[in-house]
Amino acid sequence: IESQQRERVWRPRWAGEMAGRTLGVVGLGAIGRATAVRARAFDMRVLATRRRFLVGEQVDPDVDRMFPLDQLDDMLGLCDAVLLSAPSTVDTADLFNAERFAAMRPGSVFVNVSRGSLVDEPALVEALRSGHLAAAIIDVAKQEPAPPEHPFWDTPNLYLSPHCSASLELYPDRLFELFVDNLGRLQRDEPLRNIVDAERGY
């Protein structure tokens, strides 16, 4: 649309609908859950997986179906779009590789808002150039800033943002509120919010 405006070309370009589509969330933490809630508000079906998956856990109040991590590929084949919001750990390095992208539904969309280490970048580029994936929305890369020669700059249907997908307008206020809340929890000997586990990466 921006290029058409710049070139003064009046040509309709229609967007797809979210209602009735299926979103897969890989990593149902704070970001994944917030996205799931918003996706369901747009009448999307939401599937999800997370590392801390309890045996027999098939339901969650914010998603339509939970999958254990060993059934991730099965889940990917059911999704029109996949959001990757999992932590960076030894176990998640290159979690999305050529085989995983091949497991995704043809014409689906891949979104990464976690860390670049979770994605085999040449495999993602190939999945886009081959047309298997319709698009990818990437907020992170293995090397940041991405150098001028990085293939992400020239890959078709890849939308790259420089690790800034979060809104910063109210970030300082929310950060201060979190600090004050956690300080009160510490004084009351209550569980803290947003604890980072160095071994697990979250």
Side-chain angles (χ1 to χ4, degrees):
I1 294 296
E2 181 182 348
S3 63
Q4 287 187 199
Q5 181 175 342
R6 186 171 55 251
E7 296 165 10
R8 293 170 169 76
V9 173
W10 188 279
R11 183 187 307 117
R13 295 181 65 179
W14 308 111
E17 292 189 13
M18 297 175 69
R21 301 290 178 91
T22 299
L23 172 69
V25 178
V26 181
L28 196 63
I31 294 173
R33 186 172 295 281
T35 304
V37 169
R38 286 156 178 79
R40 289 180 91 186
F42 282 96
D43 291 327
M44 294 188 78
R45 178 176 180 238
V46 179
L47 312 178
T49 185
R50 66 170 176 236
R51 183 177 180 182
R52 292 179 179 175
F53 184 91
L54 302 176
V55 176
E57 179 185 28
Q58 297 296 327
V59 295
D60 183 281
D62 297 320
V63 303
D64 294 289
R65 183 179 172 190
M66 290 292 301
F67 288 76
L69 195 55
D70 62 4
Q71 293 179 18
L72 174 58
D73 290 349
D74 296 332
M75 185 189 86
L76 296 178
L78 302 172
C79 300
D80 299 295
V82 173
L83 171 76
L84 177 57
S85 59
S88 176
T89 68
V90 173
D91 295 332
T92 59
D94 286 339
L95 177 66
F96 273 76
N97 52 23
E99 293 75 19
R100 195 124 289 144
F101 287 123
M104 290 179 63
R105 180 180 289 179
S108 58
V109 176
F110 175 71
V111 181
N112 185 10
V113 294
S114 56
R115 293 290 183 267
S117 62
L118 278 70
V119 175
D120 178 338
E121 293 178 345
L124 172 59
V125 169
E126 177 56 31
L128 287 164
R129 288 182 174 163
S130 70
H132 179 69
L133 295 183
I137 302 163
I138 305 299
D139 187 49
V140 289
K142 285 187 174 177
Q143 183 180 350
E144 295 182 358
E149 65 274 12
H150 198 293
F152 277 180
W153 296 112
D154 301 314
T155 300
N157 298 319
L158 188 146
Y159 302 89
L160 178 65
S161 57
H163 210 144
C164 62
S165 62
S167 171
L168 293 180
E169 182 180 0
L170 298 176
Y171 181 81
D173 296 334
R174 290 174 178 154
L175 186 63
F176 184 73
E177 289 170 3
L178 174 63
F179 173 79
V180 171
D181 182 47
N182 268 344
L183 183 61
R185 288 168 178 261
L186 183 65
Q187 292 173 333
R188 295 187 299 272
D189 197 29
E190 297 175 358
L192 303 182
R193 293 167 53 199
N194 295 357
I195 292 179
V196 175
D197 188 320
E199 292 183 2
R200 291 186 175 135
Y202 55 86

